[in-house]
Amino acid sequence: MHTPRLRHLPLLLALGLAGCATAPVAEHAETRVSLMAYNVENLFDTAHDPGKDDYAYLPLSVKQAHPEYLATCARISVPAWRQECESNDWTEARLEQKLTRLASVISQTDGGRGPDILLLEEVENRAVLERLNGHLGASAYQTRVLLEGWDERGIDTAVLSRLPQWGAPVLHRVPYHDEQGDTSDKTGKTRGILEVRLLLPGGQKASVFAVHLPSGGGPGYLRRQAVEYLAELKRQLPADVLPIVGGDFNINAGEEAKHHYIADTLASTWSVSHLIGCDGCKGSYYYPRERQWSFFDILLFPQAMSGAGFNGWKVDSASIHMPKASPYQVNKWGTPARFNGGQYPEGVSDHWPMYAQIYLRAP
């Protein structure tokens, strides 16, 4: 079992490893905790979950043995999605390759150990989450949380951490509703907001919220409603609990330019990762057709963490970046490389993760 990475400055002196008894004691010791939000793109196991539309991610042999599965695929209206559902051969070998590549991405940070808190999107169930954790070897996480939600495809958010929990996790159902005269009921069955309560070093209670907002196929007001609900969840927390949010907000650059959901609505309540750091970052997701970068993947911190601090905890804006040094993450065009069944040397997810560190400086 691993403990959170504690960085003391100067390191050798604080840990007593320098072999010099006369060395002065550091004036300020610093405790750091790292976080990363990562959309792992369709992390499904190879078995059908009853009540979920996961037929695209089953072995072809299973689909052929169950005509009702292929019949469900045939009813998909979008041709590309229908073809994927009918022909995609999601075997154990492909899943193992996907898990190996995801482990490579996660392990590229923090000296090979991965972040202390990892927020994931597009994970089908607890079973495949456990398999991913098993691929992390010595870096595996002691806290692993996934609560089954309401998404029709069965994709959920999850939180992995080396930190202990101080309370039971909660899956909040966002109170989506039609508006602007829309009577089509596009709210549908979609993901909730997963709250996992973690205890930071030193005893600070934190509530970590993992989000995956409705995709661009739904109206923008759904994403706005989710952003507003996040602010409400923050207001409901006890004043001494530190809120942190991470995940896929699905707000593309065009929508952001028009409605400013990030720059105005989110930034009025939070410090937004790519607005306070991530210098030189273009975005975490790329639309080839529009040749457009978007910041789908975001970490949010209380605004106090960018200033005086939240009970002493601050966010290190210089630490904020998108880890993409794994050979699987970048395609020949320099954009996120999707996993294509292991047909190419690169390919793992169509998103790049967002990473940051928070720290507590001892008095």
Side-chain angles (χ1 to χ4, degrees):
M1 182 171 66
H2 292 276
T3 56
R5 182 169 56 90
L6 306 183
R7 179 180 296 170
H8 298 280
L9 300 177
L11 182 62
L12 294 179
L13 299 180
L15 294 180
L17 299 178
C20 181
T22 60
V25 178
E27 292 184 10
H28 296 285
E30 200 173 82
T31 301
R32 287 187 173 246
V33 172
S34 57
L35 308 98
M36 189 165 79
Y38 188 26
N39 184 321
V40 292
E41 191 190 12
N42 295 322
L43 182 55
F44 286 84
D45 64 15
T46 61
H48 173 54
D49 285 6
K52 300 297 184 180
D53 186 4
D54 58 0
Y55 305 107
Y57 287 87
L58 296 175
L60 194 55
S61 60
V62 172
K63 287 184 271 195
Q64 291 171 340
H66 292 269
E68 68 274 20
Y69 294 174
L70 288 174
T72 301
C73 293
R75 291 194 289 270
I76 297 175
S77 59
V78 179
W81 296 352
R82 181 171 63 249
Q83 181 181 7
E84 178 189 45
C85 186
E86 292 173 340
S87 62
N88 186 31
D89 191 13
W90 191 247
T91 62
E92 278 293 312
R94 285 190 171 188
L95 173 57
E96 282 296 307
Q97 193 169 38
K98 170 92 170 179
L99 292 169
T100 298
R101 294 184 177 193
L102 287 173
S104 170
V105 174
I106 294 166
S107 301
Q108 71 182 283
T109 68
D110 296 61
R113 298 181 63 232
D116 298 315
I117 303 172
L118 177 61
L119 303 93
L120 301 176
E121 303 88 55
E122 296 199 21
V123 182
E124 184 185 19
N125 52 40
R126 178 63 182 261
V128 78
L129 180 68
E130 293 290 349
R131 288 181 65 172
L132 174 60
N133 194 51
H135 275 69
L136 294 171
S139 301
Y141 294 93
Q142 65 189 53
T143 295
R144 306 178 298 279
V145 180
L146 182 149
L147 300 180
E148 287 291 338
W150 310 278
D151 185 84
E152 293 174 311
R153 295 177 60 222
I155 53 174
D156 298 300
T157 56
V159 173
L160 300 175
S161 182
R162 298 188 183 91
L163 301 169
Q165 299 179 71
W166 61 268
V170 180
L171 185 63
H172 300 276
R173 191 161 195 164
V174 183
Y176 292 117
H177 55 276
D178 294 324
E179 58 179 66
Q180 301 171 353
D182 185 357
T183 59
S184 59
D185 192 25
K186 293 180 180 178
T187 58
K189 295 180 180 179
T190 191
R191 281 103 26 202
I193 296 174
L194 177 63
E195 177 185 359
V196 179
R197 294 156 180 170
L198 299 175
L199 197 63
L200 299 180
Q204 172 65 55
K205 290 181 177 180
S207 276
V208 175
F209 297 91
V211 304
H212 187 187
L213 303 194
S215 71
Y221 62 71
L222 297 181
R223 290 174 288 284
R224 193 203 73 239
Q225 289 173 12
V227 165
E228 293 170 348
Y229 187 59
L230 268 175
E232 177 60 28
L233 291 176
K234 181 172 178 281
R235 283 192 293 269
Q236 292 174 6
L237 287 179
D240 63 338
V241 175
L242 170 60
I244 297 175
V245 183
D248 178 2
F249 283 74
N250 263 319
I251 299 171
N252 67 48
E255 183 171 69
E256 173 61 12
K258 182 177 181 180
H259 296 289
H260 310 288
Y261 293 147
I262 299 173
D264 290 347
T265 312
L266 275 178
S268 69
T269 307
W270 306 90
S271 287
V272 181
S273 52
H274 67 274
L275 298 183
I276 64 171
C278 212
D279 293 343
C281 295
K282 296 178 180 179
S284 63
Y285 187 91
Y286 185 72
Y287 282 102
R289 187 175 61 185
E290 290 85 3
R291 298 183 180 180
Q292 179 188 79
W293 284 97
S294 296
F295 281 101
F296 277 12
D297 305 272
I298 296 172
L299 291 167
L300 302 177
F301 306 94
Q303 291 177 331
M305 292 185 72
S306 296
F310 186 103
N311 290 341
W313 284 92
K314 297 185 178 183
V315 58
D316 181 1
S317 60
S319 73
I320 300 173
H321 71 286
M322 291 181 296
K324 54 183 190 305
S326 167
Y328 305 118
Q329 287 182 271
V330 184
N331 60 31
K332 63 183 180 181
W333 298 283
T335 61
R338 297 192 64 181
F339 183 74
N340 290 293
Q343 300 177 54
Y344 306 103
E346 72 282 351
V348 59
S349 170
D350 56 354
H351 290 245
W352 286 336
M354 183 65 76
Y355 174 95
Q357 293 179 7
I358 60 175
Y359 66 95
L360 175 69
R361 181 169 293 180

